[in-house]
Amino acid sequence: GGSLGALASMTIIATMIGQIFHRVPTIQSLEGVQLDKCCAVAAFSYFGLTLLYEAWTAEAGNDAIESELHDAQEELEKKNNLARSSTLALI
């Protein structure tokens, strides 16, 4: 639910920003420069480099990572147990 909502929100926001930049009048000194594409490249570069930096500097024993992994494993176990119990109930 949350991931799909975030994806939909980001799609709408990105479309709106793209339309705004696409409609900006051409500045005489920037004629031929596609402002919307330049901004997209800058944004992707910034966020990509930020994620790479965070991954590079993350510690192997980071408590947040360990906690997230533990939560994910617990959730998978719950779903597996639920699937087993519903399969046994059908039998």
Side-chain angles (χ1 to χ4, degrees):
S3 297
L4 188 58
L7 178 62
S9 299
M10 290 304 297
T11 301
I12 291 168
I13 291 169
T15 303
M16 289 171 35
I17 290 172
Q19 289 298 315
I20 289 168
F21 277 112
H22 192 68
R23 295 181 193 281
V24 170
T26 304
I27 299 171
Q28 199 70 354
S29 63
L30 295 176
E31 194 168 332
V33 175
Q34 296 177 342
L35 188 59
D36 54 344
K37 291 184 181 170
C38 290
C39 289
V41 168
F44 276 117
S45 298
Y46 172 75
F47 289 116
L49 291 172
T50 301
L51 286 173
L52 287 173
Y53 174 76
E54 288 177 4
W56 185 265
T57 58
E59 297 176 13
N62 191 340
D63 291 336
I65 294 171
E66 296 293 327
S67 174
E68 197 67 35
L69 178 62
H70 182 70
D71 291 345
Q73 288 173 339
E74 284 182 355
E75 192 66 32
L76 286 173
E77 286 178 20
K78 286 179 189 176
K79 288 186 179 190
N80 284 339
N81 290 337
L82 182 64
R84 285 188 203 120
S85 64
S86 63
T87 303
L88 290 176
L90 292 174
I91 298 176

